[in-house]
Amino acid sequence: MQWGKPSRTAWAAAAHRAAHQVLEQGRIFTDPLALRILGEDAETVARKAAERPSGRKMRIFIAIRTRFAEDAIAAALEHGLRQVVVLGAGLDTYACRSPWGDRLRIFEVDHPATQAWKRQRLLDAAIPIPSWLTFAPLDFEHQTLPESLAAAGFDSSQQTFFTWLGVVPYLTEEAVWSTLGFIANLPNGAHVVFDYSDPPASLSVEARIMHERRAVRVAALVEAFLNYFDSNELQAKLKALGFSEVEDMGPPQIAARYFPNRVGTLPDKGGHILRATTRGHQTTGKG
Ligand SMILES: C[S@@+](CC[C@H](N)C(=O)[O-])C[C@H]1O[C@@H](n2cnc3c(N)ncnc32)[C@H](O)[C@@H]1O
């Protein structure tokens, strides 16, 4: 990211969510605040999306990852979840749309410059900041997540759900594993949902060309892709860290769940959406 400037990929992701509301009527993921936080009207959003039809795949992927994460939060609420951390929140509106009220505390962690810009966007769009939302500024590369969360009043003894959407590819592997290590070590269980990409060398020629074009575009926004993961290695490392349950959806699994009619028509490699859960390791003192 450019020092002192808000993330431009955060704007791009929000524009995709807004375009999904207009062009697909929010069929995969409904967000009534998506246009408002962007500050653009439906015609402008649709026109910009039409100027770059190749953006459709990414738009649908972003709608799916957000839907998947929010569905997983709703499922965890049934099992006692009371705390969510949105890592690298960008212009994500979950906290402002949360139907759970004070039942669910939400922390938004993001680069200080992006977070200040988001707060201004919320103000400009007259979207109130709800009582259950707390902002926690953090630069993943230079500060630690526990410090930032502790300063914001995070309760590390609570089961917690972390969403980390569209952020991991932009971080160094060191920053990624240090964050996952923190999550894995929370004493009363934690969940994390994040997305990542297969290594470019494993992609089909067509997908690799698309990926390389996107890499050039994001690098021009001063937010280069810094990492890719081999699924088997990633899953093994997550298990070794203490994540007992790992659900890793690559393109075939994503298609099976969200587009059952298109199974077999999508490539095997590409973007993944992963959910990992720990059961916690706090002892009861019994026995
Ligand atoms: C592509 S945006 C995704 C935003 C949001 N999660 C979404 O899905 O719309 C990437 C986010 O990662 C954040 N980010 C990138 N590098 C970061 C860093 N070193 N420290 C903190 N946040 C960072 C940016 O500020 C931005 O909000």
Side-chain angles (χ1 to χ4, degrees):
M1 289 184 52
Q2 214 167 352
W3 183 246
K5 300 249 172 95
S7 159
R8 290 173 67 190
T9 61
W11 174 269
H16 278 308
R17 280 191 296 272
H20 176 62
Q21 309 310 306
V22 179
L23 300 178
E24 286 90 28
Q25 294 74 48
R27 266 199 296 280
I28 296 166
F29 165 68
T30 306
D31 181 351
L33 298 179
L35 280 159
R36 265 173 77 190
I37 195 159
L38 203 63
E40 290 186 346
D41 59 30
E43 290 71 31
T44 309
V45 164
R47 178 178 46 75
K48 287 185 181 171
E51 281 165 9
R52 211 168 56 77
S54 63
R56 183 174 183 279
K57 271 191 182 154
M58 182 48 72
R59 178 167 80 241
I60 300 297
F61 182 77
I62 287 177
I64 291 173
R65 79 182 182 199
T66 321
R67 166 74 187 271
F68 176 81
E70 295 191 11
D71 284 352
I73 291 174
L77 260 134
E78 303 284 315
H79 298 97
L81 179 80
R82 297 291 174 267
Q83 194 167 247
V84 166
V85 178
V86 185
L87 293 171
L91 296 184
D92 182 297
T93 61
Y94 180 69
C96 301
R97 292 180 281 106
S98 165
W100 315 108
D102 287 325
R103 205 176 140 201
L104 194 64
R105 283 195 81 187
I106 304 178
F107 295 85
E108 281 198 5
V109 174
D110 208 343
H111 202 278
T114 308
Q115 201 161 74
W117 165 70
K118 188 208 194 139
R119 294 180 76 147
Q120 187 59 47
R121 290 257 16 98
L122 290 171
L123 204 64
D124 292 349
I127 300 173
I129 296 173
S131 57
W132 51 83
L133 169 60
T134 306
F135 290 101
L138 167 80
D139 181 340
F140 281 108
E141 302 294 346
H142 301 289
Q143 293 158 293
T144 74
L145 182 57
E147 277 167 7
S148 161
L149 283 177
F154 174 78
D155 180 356
S156 61
S157 70
Q158 288 269 342
Q159 178 195 159
T160 305
F161 202 115
F162 293 81
T163 68
W164 205 10
L165 305 179
V167 188
V168 164
Y170 300 104
L171 302 180
T172 56
E173 273 208 51
E174 193 189 348
V176 171
W177 287 110
S178 126
T179 298
L180 289 169
F182 166 70
I183 295 172
N185 275 310
L186 286 172
N188 281 318
H191 318 256
V192 61
V193 170
F194 64 89
D195 52 315
Y196 73 94
S197 270
D198 284 307
S202 69
L203 302 179
S204 67
V205 174
E206 190 204 350
R208 195 156 64 228
I209 292 169
M210 293 268 292
H211 175 80
E212 276 160 12
R213 285 192 190 139
R214 199 150 56 80
V216 169
R217 272 201 310 279
V218 298
L221 302 179
V222 206
E223 288 172 61
F225 293 138
L226 295 183
N227 67 63
Y228 305 90
F229 290 103
D230 171 87
S231 304
N232 291 331
E233 281 173 24
L234 175 64
Q235 290 171 29
K237 257 181 119 170
L238 287 168
K239 292 259 165 81
L241 266 187
F243 289 99
S244 50
E245 203 183 309
V246 177
E247 180 184 11
D248 184 355
M249 299 193 299
Q253 293 79 19
I254 292 173
R257 180 179 298 203
Y258 294 96
F259 307 105
N261 297 336
R262 293 199 55 203
V263 170
T265 65
L266 295 176
D268 281 352
K269 300 283 183 182
H272 286 239
I273 304 170
L274 183 148
R275 177 183 62 82
T277 294
T278 67
R279 299 206 187 291
H281 46 74
Q282 202 164 62
T283 53
T284 59
K286 289 183 196 156

